Amino acid sequence: MAPAASTSSSACPSAPDLKGANAPLPADLPISSFLCEPNAYLSSNVEETHSGGHGGSLSRTNKNNVGIFHDESVKRQAYYDNSCIDGAHPANGHCEGSNSDDLLRRSNENQCIQTDLKPGLNLHSFQNGNDDAGTFILGRNMHHDCLSITEPDIDDESTGDKEAYMAGVLARYRRTLVDRTKYHLGYPYNLDFDYGALAQLQHFSINNLGDPFIESNYGVHSRQFEVGVLDWFARLWELEKDEYWGYITNCGTEGNLHGILVGREVFPDGILYASCESHYSVFKAARMYRMDVVKVATLVSGEIDCVDLKRKLEERKDKPAILNVNIGTTVKGAVDDLDLVITTLQEVGFTENQFFIHCDGALFGLMMPFVKKAPKVSFKKPIGSVSVSGHKFVGCPMPCGVQITRMEHINVLSRNVEYLASRDATIMGSRNGHAPLFLWYTLNRKGYRGFQKEVQRCLRNAHYLKSRLHDAGFGVMLNELSSTVVFERPQDEAFVRKWQLACQGDIAHAVVMPSVTTEKLDNFVEELIESRARCFEGGKVVVPCVASAIGEENCACSKHCAS
Amino acid sequence: MAPAASTSSSACPSAPDLKGANAPLPADLPISSFLCEPNAYLSSNVEETHSGGHGGSLSRTNKNNVGIFHDESVKRQAYYDNSCIDGAHPANGHCEGSNSDDLLRRSNENQCIQTDLKPGLNLHSFQNGNDDAGTFILGRNMHHDCLSITEPDIDDESTGDKEAYMAGVLARYRRTLVDRTKYHLGYPYNLDFDYGALAQLQHFSINNLGDPFIESNYGVHSRQFEVGVLDWFARLWELEKDEYWGYITNCGTEGNLHGILVGREVFPDGILYASCESHYSVFKAARMYRMDVVKVATLVSGEIDCVDLKRKLEERKDKPAILNVNIGTTVKGAVDDLDLVITTLQEVGFTENQFFIHCDGALFGLMMPFVKKAPKVSFKKPIGSVSVSGHKFVGCPMPCGVQITRMEHINVLSRNVEYLASRDATIMGSRNGHAPLFLWYTLNRKGYRGFQKEVQRCLRNAHYLKSRLHDAGFGVMLNELSSTVVFERPQDEAFVRKWQLACQGDIAHAVVMPSVTTEKLDNFVEELIESRARCFEGGKVVVPCVASAIGEENCACSKHCAS
């Protein structure tokens, strides 16, 4: 079930026996033939053994594969086969031919193919990417590996076969998760948490639908926890209780979508400015909201180039400015200089009622306050909103985030909502009520001091990783305020996949989170060195030049290293 | 912790002793004073007992309240007090004065106050509402009840106080959830599920970031399950594997946002048509996407009035039409007649390349296929997308949904994405990887047949409820294809809150889900009768006229009942 560490573009297996115990319904059998008319169900390929009772009760005859655990392997193979059941029919399925080629073709049609295609490598894209969905590997189509859903046999309840089968699938999946969790360096997710105390609540359908501050009639909610969390963050970013509004989002993207929407509502004809290393969701927002967007250049470090920003602002002085400021870019962990951005706006002549700043603090929004001398994200400055992810530094088993904005802006957002007699200020409607519990629990346990310690440890470990890579002759960069270590992209794709590294062009990065120990880093560096040696004949390593991506001073190629 | 069953607009308790064991940081202490400089932490109000060590280690002196469970009540009160710590400072907090009045005032300022304010009642809004965030009660500000996050004491780990305190909070919260889950009729959430088998996976940080069909480098995902679920739904709605694209969303709203966005990308100058009883997220989408929207009238049943639709289409023939078709409205459970909508489009002269239909099947999208004679939602008809909620009929502890559209439309959506070298076709970036597991598990266990049985039981029970209410002299309506029973709004707000009924104007509804038994319905009806009797002096009930909302034939007022 686990994706193999190698590139996968195998063609589908041949069509399986449709009568296998867990075979899905044949694809050419119209749904209508078994809906509402249960007795017509599975009229072909399957022999009816019994019918009657409310809702119909039918069974298929082939019981060859119906074992419990000892037949697991057979069943599992059947699953894989089933998932590609249409493979033998090129006209019917994602599974046709080589998916790699297929998807590539589609991608070409879409004119969004990346240019740095390397022979033997999958396509990577981490363009402008932040964490979320940042890295895609084209050519890996999940229909290969998908676990088809099969109709239960009528006697499943008595035999327990299906239950046992599913237990087997889940147990195997669990093993995969344990393994994948172990080797994980490329994404800024803190996997170090223990939420055992919350297990008792997992089976409740907790839903904070709508506004966090206004209770709905649905009683199974966790708003009392959510508002506690929001207060904590508002405090962190120095906004008074009666002056803020916010909510717990589903992910960093929702925070950006919200922040930029608020900005647009405040300035309907505003132009969106964002550095080209901003998260792609910022540009997605612009497209969704039909806003004009101006991409601003970045420095080698990855932070916004305020000289370029100034020039671009000057050209468009007549329109209000909505700015996305990165409190940590995804790829390089670069922090835009908020104070310099504000100064730049002022220099060009923008007054505070002519601009709106959204701070995308996906990862560093929570780390920065605990870093000495770091520029401060604070609502005492003229910013409009801040978002941060909850599943990153805090650590949470599900994606989530926190969005905080000024109450006055939410009032603007709500003012035109004629279709609702209440405040409708969230992007989503139904909202996950478990995420607030996880955040509340962690924040309470760790407190500001606990986070401070963790941030310090992460920064220390990031420096440790940088030193080790540098000593081993790798080109490597670490921004001052960051725990994201950027280095030459490993040439061995299996290694990249094993360690789940996010790559862009010639560079890769490792994000040192609280769950990353020096032991893990040692292990990583040693494997990286071995992997690199294997890529060169006789182990004679030629270090690539990555000066354009991380600066000459950080490059370890023969030219820059010598100079 | 549990919201009381009565309306809550009490003023804040007086300011508590700040030195209580779990008191939050004083609000007037700037964050900056304890960040990065741990020794400055809590410099006022608190006596420093120890300092030193990495990250600083400090404690507050007042230990009076530091007990384990026997001091729980004291602590809990402190929590409540703390949450309103700013209550004594009118300039500082949501807690100022009567929140009810306060929010009302804000609401007035926002010009979005509802008009049917009744003395002694909270404001309800369920305007155009679907499930999500449908009902708000203005006047209930969660800052009253919020559970503040407090900084741990330095000796918490050795004393176990905080751990014990939190365990107490969670245990109490769990009791509340049990209670609130028991009395729950107004929202279409199936609470009847057993996901014990999945508990072993709850602590993994599972994230299906980006596209379900294209694997990312982040290995801790559940795409193999997600695609299995999507296949199942595509099959249900009759779209071939190679012709569909879809993903598991965070909620019904995300499905609508996606479907309408796809429609707009296919027809950039298209006009959005939706009945006035459509979910508010449809109109939210129009606003977000800067689309022209036309509201279409509804029949008494709640379904779209195709005569009005025709008239409105004719007036705007020159522009493509993007239509939202409700497969079950929230309030009345009315199903728009998809076939009639398509015929209407054709009659006006719209060809298939001039319109896009999104089916909002939040609840009924999954029920309808199992209802005999129900009009069919199928991609064999010229529809563009279908969305359904996963936490409703299927039942899932977290909000989620499924969105299915045609591959060709996603290609249109992706074509212009220059900023990403891969397909970026989801609204969100990071995506909850647990939801697919829940759905996969349930669909596998129940199968089409299992759902069919449940749908039939729900419809039977809905008819049972309708009969019982009718026999008891209530005005009541039940649409043919629906399990949503609409009736006179109970006058007793405590009753409404206890049973978590969603209300709009003069009507309320109960949604009969698989978790609703006849025993529960009997219990409900008996309490409703008693509650009604109490509202009238001497128990002499005067049945209100609700003919305008549910039709004369369903009204039980003296005028319509007699006729």
Side-chain angles (χ1 to χ4, degrees), chain B residues 506-555:
Chain B
D506 294 329
I507 57 172
H509 76 211
V511 186
V512 180
M513 298 301 284
S515 52
V516 176
T517 59
T518 51
E519 193 188 346
K520 189 174 190 174
L521 293 174
D522 285 339
N523 189 357
F524 168 72
V525 172
E526 278 148 30
E527 282 195 28
L528 177 60
I529 292 170
E530 283 168 27
S531 150
R532 180 173 61 170
R534 277 197 304 274
C535 289
F536 292 93
E537 216 172 316
K540 283 191 72 177
V541 173
V542 180
V543 178
C545 180
V546 287
S548 66
I550 63 174
E552 294 183 5
E553 67 280 18
N554 296 312
C555 184

Side-chain angles (χ1 to χ4, degrees), chain A residues 235-290:
Chain A
R235 188 113 193 266
L236 184 68
W237 296 321
E238 304 187 311
L239 194 51
E240 297 290 345
K241 273 194 187 182
D242 63 339
E243 288 175 6
Y244 91 85
W245 182 91
Y247 73 109
I248 294 183
T249 61
N250 285 292
C251 59
T253 289
E254 188 174 353
N256 287 343
L257 289 182
H258 193 273
I260 293 168
L261 181 62
V262 170
R264 193 201 70 177
E265 294 301 286
V266 172
F267 296 119
D269 62 340
I271 293 172
L272 179 63
Y273 298 81
S275 92
C276 57
E277 297 199 33
S278 302
H279 190 227
Y280 70 85
S281 63
V282 170
F283 303 101
K284 176 153 72 178
R287 185 177 175 206
M288 281 170 68
Y289 302 153
R290 293 186 156 164

Side-chain angles (χ1 to χ4, degrees), chain A residues 126-132 134 277-280 329-331 504:
Chain A
F126 205 76
Q127 303 290 54
N128 313 316
N130 212 303
D131 72 307
D132 297 340
E277 297 199 33
S278 302
H279 190 227
Y280 70 85
T329 62
T330 319
V331 178
Q504 182 186 40

Side-chain angles (χ1 to χ4, degrees), chain B residues 28 402 422:
Chain B
D28 52 356
V402 171
S422 176

Side-chain angles (χ1 to χ4, degrees), chain B residues 213 226-240 243-249 255 258-259 262 356-359 377 379 383-388 401-407 409-410:
Chain B
F213 298 98
E226 181 175 17
V227 174
V229 170
L230 296 174
D231 280 357
W232 192 91
F233 277 96
R235 187 114 193 266
L236 184 69
W237 295 322
E238 304 188 311
L239 195 52
E240 297 290 346
E243 290 175 5
Y244 91 85
W245 181 90
Y247 74 109
I248 294 183
T249 60
H258 193 273
V262 170
F356 179 99
I357 293 175
H358 168 67
C359 297
V377 174
F379 279 94
I383 61 172
S385 59
V386 183
S387 62
V388 70
V402 171
Q403 164 73 352
I404 299 284
T405 183
R406 295 178 192 273
M407 182 70 88
H409 296 324
I410 282 303

Side-chain angles (χ1 to χ4, degrees), chain A residues 377-502:
Chain A
V377 174
S378 164
F379 279 94
K380 291 189 174 163
K381 301 176 182 177
I383 62 172
S385 59
V386 182
S387 61
V388 70
S389 292
H391 57 297
K392 289 177 185 152
F393 195 75
V394 182
C396 184
M398 61 197 62
C400 62
V402 171
Q403 163 73 352
I404 299 283
T405 183
R406 293 179 193 274
M407 182 69 89
E408 65 194 81
H409 296 325
I410 281 302
N411 289 342
V412 172
L413 186 68
S414 301
R415 191 161 296 148
N416 301 317
V417 186
E418 53 171 330
Y419 54 84
L420 243 201
S422 178
R423 193 161 65 184
D424 173 33
T426 57
I427 302 271
M428 293 297 144
S430 280
R431 296 189 303 107
N432 190 323
H434 293 276
L437 296 171
F438 289 111
L439 296 180
W440 181 87
Y441 187 78
T442 302
L443 300 182
N444 248 318
R445 286 192 65 181
K446 296 188 177 168
Y448 295 113
R449 272 193 304 253
F451 282 106
Q452 184 174 43
K453 278 188 198 171
E454 290 197 338
V455 168
Q456 287 168 345
R457 195 172 65 237
C458 288
L459 294 183
R460 217 164 40 230
N461 287 349
H463 276 276
Y464 176 76
L465 174 60
K466 183 195 169 188
S467 302
R468 287 226 45 189
L469 288 173
H470 179 264
D471 294 348
F474 288 89
V476 58
M477 176 178 88
L478 173 59
N479 274 310
E480 196 186 0
L481 306 168
S482 169
S483 71
T484 300
V485 181
V486 183
F487 51 95
E488 312 162 15
R489 176 182 183 151
Q491 298 197 25
D492 178 3
E493 281 299 305
F495 179 86
V496 167
R497 287 194 65 76
K498 175 179 177 183
W499 286 93
Q500 304 163 50
L501 301 177

Side-chain angles (χ1 to χ4, degrees), chain A residues 126-177:
Chain A
F126 205 76
Q127 303 290 54
N128 313 316
N130 212 303
D131 72 307
D132 297 340
T135 303
F136 291 111
I137 299 206
L138 300 186
R140 187 173 288 271
N141 186 317
M142 285 306 301
H143 260 134
H144 266 299
D145 301 322
C146 96
L147 294 162
S148 298
I149 290 164
T150 57
E151 192 70 5
D153 281 339
I154 191 61
D155 56 356
D156 271 344
E157 265 187 47
S158 55
T159 65
D161 287 346
K162 181 122 192 193
E163 202 74 28
Y165 170 75
M166 287 168 69
V169 169
L170 292 173
R172 213 171 279 110
Y173 178 59
R174 188 178 179 284
R175 269 214 309 276
T176 307
L177 292 180

